[in-house]
Amino acid sequence: MQASATWVDANITTDLCKFANPTLDCSLSNANGDPNSTTAPAGTRFPNSPRFKAAATGRYEFDLGVFEASLQGSLLHQTSSQPSVDTAEAALLGTQTAYTTVDLSAGLRRDRWSLTLAAQNLFDERGQQVRTASCAIALCGPSAIQVFPIRPRLISLRLAWRY
């Protein structure tokens, strides 16, 4: 049995300005006189950092007649996250939603061969690894949003011979 979990409190501690300056004052214009603004207030979470993520795996090996058998299960859960530290951009991109996946496998082994039946993402969860845009959404529109999903359900049967 193995399990791990992380709790991440990743927030910016000062306002993030459109134009950086030594005093971190978002009301000061840049060197060209362009007006500054706050793109993310203090306390905004870092992008792509879920607050909580956990994984657990259990494996049981046993004799089954003339075979060495195994059963294994894994569970992974991740909370939602924002795709950008810029609050206006994050609102346009949308939230990367929380997801949970389950993987299962069963196997038999004897002498030099093995047979394994496995299912990854058994319930076909449509989690998102990343949400981003290929160019500024204000310029290119919502069609610029790209979502990179986790692997969909995959069921496999593997027969192996060790030589």
Side-chain angles (χ1 to χ4, degrees), residues 82-84 86-95:
Q82 293 301 317
S84 176
D86 182 322
T87 54
E89 183 177 285
L92 292 172
L93 284 169
T95 299

Side-chain angles (χ1 to χ4, degrees), residues 88-139:
E89 183 177 285
L92 292 172
L93 284 169
T95 299
Q96 291 171 209
T97 58
Y99 64 88
T100 302
T101 61
V102 174
D103 300 340
L104 297 175
S105 70
L108 295 172
R109 186 172 54 219
R110 182 173 181 203
D111 299 327
R112 299 175 71 177
W113 70 269
S114 64
L115 179 69
T116 305
L117 175 64
Q120 295 175 321
N121 193 3
L122 181 64
F123 301 111
D124 205 22
E125 183 74 20
R126 300 302 171 138
Q128 300 172 2
Q129 289 182 1
V130 177
R131 279 183 87 85
T132 188
S134 56
C135 81
I137 298 170
L139 179 65

Side-chain angles (χ1 to χ4, degrees), residues 135-152:
C135 81
I137 298 170
L139 179 65
C140 297
S143 64
I145 297 173
Q146 297 176 320
V147 176
F148 296 91
I150 62 172
R151 176 182 283 190

